[in-house]
Amino acid sequence: MHTDLLTLAALDAADMDTLFDRAIELKARHKKGINDQPLLGKSLGLVFDKHSTRTRLSFEVAAIQLGGVSIFISSKDTQMARNEPVMDTARVLSRYLDLIAIRTYSQAFLEEFADAADIPVINALTDMYHPCQVLSDLLTVIEKKGGYKGLKIAWLGDGNNMAHSWINAAAALGLNLTLACPEGYLPDSQILEPAVAKGGNITVVQDPYEAVRDADVVNTDVWASMGQESEQAEREKVFKPFQVNAGLMEKAAPDAIVMHCLPAHRGEEITEDVLEGPQSVVWDQTENKLHMHKAILDVLLKG
Ligand code: CP
Ligand code: NVA
């Protein structure tokens, strides 16, 4: 396992299985009231440039439940906002903290930070990737479907940070992943092509019905990600045919699960009846962020 978790492209199947196994173990022990404290005396810093409800809270609670403390650092309140160099900030924070999770815009910024830091750095979302979310979503898939092997997974909507992390996971785990994205909003070819070359069974189509046909897992996300708010109206028009609704779900396997990392926009990328319906697993997905983040902190700290 790498020291940092910046992208799933750096993890192989064994690394991911280690995280799934540890998350399952920590979750079961927590439900039995057993308190594991591998972070006793350790501090997790959370440097966030963008909004967050789930990722921030689940990392904070993860650190606390494991016996550590978490410190939230809004980057606009730091000297970074007054142009202190990234490499200086990374070295300073490394002298105080034991782990750091960063939510920011640029993957290059995250990588520059990680290069200069002496402690494990975790990607808590960039414009390019959302690796911790996809790991926790796969934990939910494993729980609901008994594993991830042989499943048909569909992605509907934007070829965004979530789609990119699903592509990386598909390449590592050999998932059968079909993404339906409108022209102009396809996944980045610099992420897709190496994933396909690695042997990933990954297809990009423009027809949402083709993507969901017989799918076991149907995934979607917001049409306008953080930082793209000014494109909302234009995106609503382009993405309309990619909405996850009851008609689309009829084409999926009858026992398919519907996933959304949240926050959801009911009536846009997903209809109310599907989000609140029996196939939706979104609240379990949300809970699993906590258990997966505990596994990530524990595994990275052990090195
Ligand atoms: N799914 C997710 O990352 O949610 P937040 O933006 O609330 O952290
Ligand atoms: N693609 C979304 C995910 C939010 C958790 C965004 O980046 O805003």
Side-chain angles (χ1 to χ4, degrees):
M1 185 83 182
H2 285 251
T3 5
D4 300 315
L5 206 177
L6 307 181
T7 162
L8 296 184
L11 270 57
D12 60 21
D15 294 328
M16 292 191 204
D17 285 339
T18 298
L19 290 168
F20 300 141
D21 291 347
R22 187 65 178 134
I24 290 164
E25 186 184 18
L26 284 167
K27 181 173 179 177
R29 289 169 67 80
H30 180 70
K31 299 273 179 197
K32 282 190 206 148
I34 302 166
N35 293 318
D36 292 291
Q37 304 237 297
L39 262 70
L40 199 63
K42 306 289 183 192
S43 304
L44 166 70
L46 296 164
V47 175
F48 276 42
D49 261 344
K50 290 179 171 177
H51 293 91
S52 175
T53 300
R54 284 147 285 268
T55 308
R56 172 183 174 174
L57 264 293
S58 54
F59 264 118
E60 296 218 40
V61 174
I64 294 163
Q65 286 188 1
L66 293 179
V69 297
S70 101
I71 301 166
F72 184 75
I73 307 149
S74 169
S75 53
K76 68 178 180 352
D77 297 325
T78 69
Q79 298 287 7
M80 273 190 290
R82 298 177 59 250
N83 296 325
E84 183 167 13
V86 177
M87 58 189 281
D88 291 5
T89 308
R91 286 179 291 181
V92 170
L93 295 191
S94 298
R95 298 292 177 108
Y96 302 140
L97 300 165
D98 301 285
L99 295 140
I100 189 157
I102 301 181
R103 171 168 284 200
T104 191
Y105 294 87
S106 150
Q107 183 74 12
F109 169 91
L110 180 78
E111 284 170 10
E112 188 184 348
F113 194 107
D115 277 347
D118 298 326
I119 56 173
V121 175
I122 300 163
N123 182 348
L125 182 146
T126 60
D127 289 347
M128 196 173 268
Y129 298 121
H130 199 1
C132 299
Q133 180 71 48
V134 171
L135 288 171
S136 57
D137 292 353
L138 275 160
L139 174 62
T140 308
V141 170
I142 292 166
E143 286 179 349
K144 302 290 177 191
K145 295 284 174 193
Y148 53 73
K149 291 208 168 86
L151 295 179
K152 181 164 188 248
I153 299 181
W155 173 268
L156 277 286
D158 197 9
N160 64 9
N161 45 9
M162 281 292 300
H164 291 156
S165 287
W166 269 107
I167 288 168
N168 290 336
L173 300 176
L175 305 175
N176 175 349
L177 173 68
T178 306
L179 304 102
C181 310
E183 197 62 57
Y185 299 88
L186 305 179
D188 187 334
S189 59
Q190 292 191 359
I191 295 166
L192 183 62
E193 282 165 17
V196 172
K198 246 186 183 178
N201 187 359
I202 306 162
T203 317
V204 181
V205 298
Q206 250 106 65
D207 177 1
Y209 289 91
E210 188 182 339
V212 296
R213 193 167 48 231
D214 302 324
D216 303 293
V217 178
V218 177
N219 252 297
T220 192
D221 186 15
V222 292
W223 289 339
S225 286
M226 288 181 276
Q228 297 169 336
E229 290 80 3
S230 64
E231 301 171 25
Q232 177 71 29
E234 176 60 23
R235 283 170 171 265
E236 276 179 31
K237 281 186 238 151
V238 176
F239 284 99
K240 208 170 172 20
F242 296 80
Q243 181 188 64
V244 176
N245 54 38
L248 196 80
M249 286 309 298
E250 276 176 21
K251 306 287 175 213
D255 61 349
I257 56 172
V258 176
M259 305 188 84
H260 192 312
C261 65
L262 304 178
H265 295 83
R266 290 165 168 81
E268 291 180 29
E269 74 274 4
I270 190 163
T271 52
E272 171 93 22
D273 57 329
V274 172
L275 186 77
E276 299 290 357
Q279 289 174 285
S280 167
V281 297
V282 299
W283 313 116
D284 293 328
Q285 260 182 279
T286 281
E287 178 185 333
N288 279 336
K289 285 174 72 77
L290 169 63
H291 306 297
M292 178 48 74
H293 291 169
K294 287 168 80 170
I296 291 167
L297 297 177
D298 184 37
V299 169
L300 287 185
L301 200 60
K302 282 186 188 132

